[in-house]
Amino acid sequence: MRTTPRNLDGATILSVVPLGGKCMARFSMQEARQLEQNLAHIYDFARFVDAKACEVLHLEADGTVRREGRCFTTWGRTRRCRHCTSFCAVKSQSNFEKDEISDDKVYHVLSAPVEIEMPDKSILHCAMELVTNYPRNADTRAMCDREVLQLLSRAKDTAHAGVLCFNVEDSCIYANLEAYRAFQVPPGELEALRSFFMTWLKDESWDSPWESAAAWEQEFFLEGERFVYRVTMAKLFDADGHYKGYYYTIRDRHGTMEEQDDAAWSRDKLTGLYDREGFYGAVREELDYGIKGERCIICSNIKDFKLVNELLGEEKGNEILKSLAEFFADLAMDSGAAARLHGDHFAAYVDRARFTEKDLLDGLEHLGQAFDSNSFKLNIHLGIYKIQEAQMPVSVMCDRAHLALALVRDENGNKVAFYDDALMERTLREKEILGSFEEGLAERQLAVYLQPQVSTEGDLLGAEALVRWNHPEKGFLTPGQFIGILENAGQIHRLDQYVWEEAAAILKRWQGTEKEGLTISVNISVNDMLHLDIFQTMTDIVKRHGIDAKQLKLEITETALMGDIEKYRKLISSLQEAGFEVEIDDFGSGYSSLNNIKDYVFDVLKIDMGFLRQTGNPKRSSVILNAVIAMAKWLGMRVITEGVETKEQVEHLRSLGCDMFQGYFFAKPMPVEEFEAKYFQEVSNVSALPEAGR
């Protein structure tokens, strides 16, 4: 509800304190003092507030500022208001408003950000608070009461409980049958129930109930029998953040208390933990109870869990889920709650003092050891949100913990990440990328780049097809800026298929020219295997473009082959029979490299650039590299090494028997037009060129 100022030139005031949108008014000290005086005649009170220090500011005639005490004492509080409009206004540079209660009166508070230029030219950042008492009549009261009841109907934590709902004037406007039954008051006698209930509460003491939600346990005696109730109190706000009333819930804790608690919240059938709704309710109850100390929400994700049932079977998959459930139950023991939210996603509400990051990593390692094998490695990530605002919906807390999972990169054993506010910005950027992906494909903003692949003699053999994004708003995007986003969203197979089509079109364009004998390598990922019929898709592409299958080389990553060995063996064999050359990509980067070349027949082995990185023992690295190349030759495979950056690496790899090279020593990835102009004029021997990319 907005208050209309009385006896005021509206144009003047609205230019100073607009009632919506972004604003930041700046005044001299003299102008600010005059503004405060003028507004004090219109509102019940007007004042400047240092929102960070929670102090009222008095602007003196001599240009100094006197601090007149804490602003929250106006409302009978002992600390900062939970929904401080001035703090929000200064932080966001926007106006904020709410209703406040003091001495049984309802006030409307409007805060606007203000900058005051001091005599020494420094800037004082503060807020102006404009406060007006509401006139309340029967009609407006009835309307607000309906609003309160509508808000209460959306509350999710009132099941199995008595409920009493009050408006801003402390009138009880609703009670359910459980509330009447709890105190044995005849249904319908609302005023009698209110009077009895408030009398019962008289001995309960806490800081002003308007400060925050509260929870406690309280006894009730009836005919000599003792009852124990857990009582919670919570405020009600509308979608705009305006205070509308409050309600109490009363849960019977008499008798078998623990059994009642277990029955109150729903459980997951497989693990016995809370399910999603049960977890939200249990955590909300604990938070409302006012538990002291730092609390966290921990959420999990099993990387590539969709492959587990295919790889190990549903029974083994359920065994993994049950083991992870035990891990979360142990985390939450005696101090929290644990849940299986859905699928392989678990959550725990935990006392921060109960764990360290090392504890979590050790627990994950121990859990993984029970299931790791030559063909499968259990990879669990944890995201953690430190609870800062207890009134935040539990679902939002879980969302923030899940956002933290995006920070996990599996580098150096990193499997745990904490949420910070920068993640929200990152998430918004990711949504922008996903939102523009469809348009990017349709308008061909995603461009194929080619990186040359050369022989030991320096002859150009072909190229690997990579991709860059010429985004109309964000500019040139490298793969690191969008590939991971598309992978996490399950959309990377659409990009890969786009690149395959583009590569085939390039090869078609080269037919009948000096470039006709060149090949282009394209990547096939685990996501492609899950979403596409690879054989049908690839054979359709080469047929549609009228090219030879051997020109389109297929690089399959190690992780893409996790699963049914026989199925993928038949796929690779079928592709080779159709004329495709199949490479195993990034050899040495995975955990089952040797198993893959044991189980499958490849034409080419592509060595991961990690073998070329400097180590503390280059001799051992050379021995391993030599063995890998020799093994590939014994198995009838040609060898290409990517990531080659120096002449010394080229010479060393050539001496070990490597057949082909790819890397910055020869050239960085480049647009197709640049590739064609660079390598197909008069020069065909890449080694004769300057050290491109250096």
Side-chain angles (χ1 to χ4, degrees):
M1 183 180 296
R2 300 189 186 276
T3 302
T4 303
R6 303 177 295 275
N7 304 319
L8 180 71
D9 181 354
T12 301
I13 253 321
L14 289 176
S15 67
V16 175
V17 191
L19 295 180
K22 293 279 186 180
C23 68
M24 177 58 73
R26 177 175 289 190
F27 306 96
S28 66
M29 174 68 80
Q30 183 178 357
E31 291 171 337
R33 290 185 70 249
Q34 187 62 54
L35 175 66
E36 183 180 26
Q37 293 172 9
N38 291 341
L39 294 176
H41 296 295
I42 301 165
Y43 295 87
D44 285 276
F45 63 86
R47 63 187 184 182
F48 291 105
V49 172
D50 182 335
K52 188 174 182 180
C54 298
E55 293 179 330
V56 179
L57 305 176
H58 182 73
L59 309 182
E60 303 283 6
D62 62 0
T64 60
V65 177
R66 175 165 52 86
R67 297 178 181 265
E68 297 186 320
R70 301 287 191 167
C71 55
F72 48 71
T73 59
T74 303
W75 315 113
R77 298 199 174 99
T78 58
R79 56 186 184 272
R80 181 195 294 274
C81 304
R82 181 172 296 277
H83 300 278
C84 178
T85 55
S86 292
F87 181 82
C88 294
V90 172
K91 185 176 181 180
S92 66
Q93 299 185 15
S94 301
N95 297 328
F96 274 79
E97 58 184 324
K98 68 174 180 179
D99 296 337
E100 276 291 355
I101 298 205
S102 181
D103 297 328
D104 295 326
K105 295 181 180 178
V106 183
Y107 292 87
H108 180 260
V109 182
L110 171 67
S111 294
V114 174
E115 293 180 345
I116 300 176
E117 186 175 338
M118 307 298 288
D120 62 358
K121 302 303 181 181
S122 64
I123 303 298
L124 174 63
H125 298 274
C126 60
M128 167 161 275
E129 289 186 356
L130 305 175
V131 183
T132 304
N133 180 221
Y134 274 150
R136 310 286 279 189
N137 57 40
D139 291 337
T140 58
R141 185 160 51 248
M143 179 186 68
C144 290
D145 288 353
R146 287 194 297 271
E147 287 186 287
V148 173
L149 293 176
Q150 289 173 356
L151 291 170
L152 181 66
S153 68
R154 296 201 292 266
K156 296 183 177 180
D157 59 352
T158 58
H160 313 286
V163 180
L164 292 93
C165 186
F166 295 76
N167 61 19
V168 294
E169 296 175 330
D170 292 331
S171 297
C172 185
I173 60 174
Y174 170 79
N176 66 358
L177 289 176
E178 287 294 327
Y180 287 104
R181 188 179 296 116
F183 298 105
Q184 298 196 9
V185 174
E189 297 187 11
L190 188 61
E191 180 56 32
L193 177 62
R194 185 204 69 82
S195 178
F196 188 95
F197 179 72
M198 299 308 294
T199 301
W200 179 63
L201 288 179
K202 68 180 181 179
D203 293 329
E204 179 59 38
S205 62
W206 66 92
D207 288 343
S208 171
W210 309 110
E211 177 66 28
S212 65
W216 64 96
E217 288 187 357
Q218 189 166 332
E219 295 179 335
F220 173 62
F221 291 90
L222 182 66
E223 298 180 353
E225 186 175 358
R226 176 179 176 268
F227 295 85
V228 179
Y229 292 113
R230 169 171 277 193
V231 184
T232 64
M233 189 282 299
K235 298 168 76 172
L236 292 169
F237 298 87
D238 64 16
D240 296 322
H242 299 149
Y243 171 72
K244 295 297 182 181
Y246 60 102
Y247 68 97
Y248 292 91
T249 64
I250 309 99
R251 288 188 170 88
D252 186 4
R253 303 296 296 254
H254 178 68
T256 56
M257 188 182 305
E258 297 300 325
E259 292 180 6
Q260 291 178 9
D261 281 349
D262 287 343
W265 308 113
S266 52
R267 298 272 176 173
D268 174 61
K269 293 181 179 179
L270 177 67
T271 65
L273 302 181
Y274 290 125
D275 61 14
R276 183 196 299 269
E277 293 303 318
F279 182 71
Y280 291 172
V283 174
R284 172 51 52 205
E285 186 175 80
E286 291 298 316
L287 290 171
D288 288 347
Y289 193 62
I291 300 292
K292 303 298 182 183
E294 187 177 34
R295 299 290 165 136
C296 298
I297 297 289
I298 303 177
C299 290
S300 72
N301 176 56
I302 302 178
K303 189 176 181 181
D304 298 325
F305 186 71
K306 291 181 179 179
L307 294 174
V308 171
N309 287 340
E310 180 180 348
L311 187 66
L312 303 177
E314 184 176 349
E315 184 177 346
K316 182 63 71 172
N318 286 341
E319 187 179 338
I320 292 173
L321 294 177
K322 290 177 182 178
S323 296
L324 188 54
E326 292 178 5
F327 173 82
F328 272 83
D330 289 343
L331 274 177
M333 187 179 297
D334 301 326
S335 66
R340 180 190 179 198
L341 300 180
H342 64 88
D344 63 311
H345 293 274
F346 288 75
Y349 166 73
V350 184
D351 185 347
R352 181 65 180 88
R354 278 187 56 85
F355 71 90
T356 65
E357 188 169 342
K358 185 178 183 302
D359 294 332
L360 297 177
L361 291 172
D362 289 346
L364 293 179
E365 183 179 1
H366 179 75
L367 183 60
Q369 289 173 351
F371 298 98
D372 289 351
S373 67
N374 291 331
S375 60
F376 175 78
K377 186 177 180 65
L378 186 61
N379 199 351
I380 304 171
H381 298 166
L382 299 179
I384 304 174
Y385 171 67
K386 297 178 182 178
I387 298 174
Q388 298 174 340
E389 174 56 69
Q391 295 308 304
M392 179 185 294
V394 179
S395 60
V396 176
M397 297 179 187
C398 291
D399 289 342
R400 293 191 171 186
H402 277 110
L403 283 177
L405 289 168
L407 293 178
V408 179
R409 292 291 181 264
D410 281 328
E411 298 173 354
N412 301 317
N414 174 28
K415 298 182 182 296
V416 179
F418 288 81
Y419 172 88
D420 61 54
D421 289 337
L423 271 176
M424 189 63 71
E425 297 180 8
R426 174 176 172 175
T427 302
L428 292 175
R429 290 196 299 270
E430 290 181 354
K431 289 184 178 296
E432 290 177 358
I433 292 292
L434 289 173
S436 58
F437 178 56
E438 194 75 39
E439 182 180 346
L441 289 178
E443 298 185 0
R444 303 177 64 83
Q445 299 167 6
L446 291 131
V448 169
Y449 275 46
L450 299 178
Q451 186 173 31
Q453 297 173 335
V454 304
S455 70
T456 54
E457 291 77 26
D459 295 323
L460 184 68
L461 301 175
E464 180 179 2
L466 304 167
V467 66
R468 305 292 187 266
W469 191 344
N470 296 309
H471 199 283
E473 297 176 359
K474 300 182 180 297
F476 184 82
L477 300 180
T478 61
Q481 294 174 283
F482 61 89
I483 293 294
I485 297 172
L486 296 177
E487 286 178 338
N488 293 332
Q491 294 293 310
I492 194 67
H493 67 282
R494 299 183 62 209
L495 176 62
D496 286 344
Q497 195 168 3
Y498 173 88
V499 173
W500 302 341
E501 293 280 358
E502 291 290 293
I506 295 169
L507 291 169
K508 175 64 175 179
R509 193 168 69 245
W510 289 352
Q511 286 183 347
T513 71
E514 58 186 303
K515 317 177 200 59
E516 188 170 11
L518 297 180
T519 63
I520 295 180
S521 299
V522 295
N523 290 279
I524 298 175
S525 69
V526 59
N527 196 271
D528 300 330
M529 293 289 197
L530 292 173
H531 288 89
L532 301 172
D533 183 333
I534 298 298
F535 179 81
Q536 191 65 52
T537 301
M538 287 300 178
T539 52
D540 284 349
I541 287 175
V542 297
K543 183 179 180 180
R544 184 165 56 255
H545 289 275
I547 62 174
D548 193 332
K550 68 180 181 181
Q551 294 180 275
L552 192 64
K553 298 169 67 174
L554 310 180
E555 298 186 5
I556 302 179
T557 59
E558 291 186 45
T559 53
L561 299 173
M562 292 171 50
D564 190 331
I565 294 176
E566 189 59 33
K567 171 184 174 182
Y568 293 133
R569 183 186 289 134
K570 288 180 179 178
L571 171 63
I572 293 173
S573 178
S574 298
L575 289 168
Q576 291 169 330
E577 289 175 4
F580 294 97
E581 283 196 352
V582 181
E583 302 179 4
I584 178 169
D585 192 18
D586 296 334
F587 182 84
S589 63
Y591 47 83
S592 58
S593 302
L594 293 177
N595 275 326
N596 280 328
I597 62 173
K598 172 179 69 69
D599 295 328
Y600 306 106
V601 177
F602 297 100
D603 301 292
V604 180
L605 184 147
K606 191 171 191 178
I607 297 177
D608 182 68
M609 65 178 66
F611 276 112
L612 300 180
R613 297 192 183 107
Q614 293 185 356
T615 70
N617 197 328
K619 185 177 180 179
R620 289 178 66 89
S621 297
S622 181
V623 170
I624 295 173
L625 190 59
N626 185 30
V628 168
I629 294 175
M631 177 183 61
K633 295 301 183 67
W634 292 336
L635 295 172
M637 291 185 286
R638 301 190 306 282
V639 178
I640 181 172
T641 304
E642 62 180 344
V644 180
E645 296 184 350
T646 68
K647 183 178 181 180
E648 291 74 22
Q649 289 175 344
V650 173
E651 292 175 349
H652 181 58
L653 288 165
R654 185 186 288 122
S655 70
L656 296 178
C658 184
D659 302 292
M660 296 171 282
F661 307 101
Q662 179 182 338
Y664 281 13
F665 177 74
F666 302 99
K668 294 181 179 180
M670 64 192 75
V672 177
E673 295 77 10
E674 184 178 334
F675 181 90
E676 293 174 343
K678 187 167 188 171
Y679 297 118
F680 299 102
Q681 295 178 347
E682 296 180 358
V683 181
S684 62
N685 189 287
V686 180
S687 64
L689 297 174
E691 293 186 1
R694 299 291 296 159

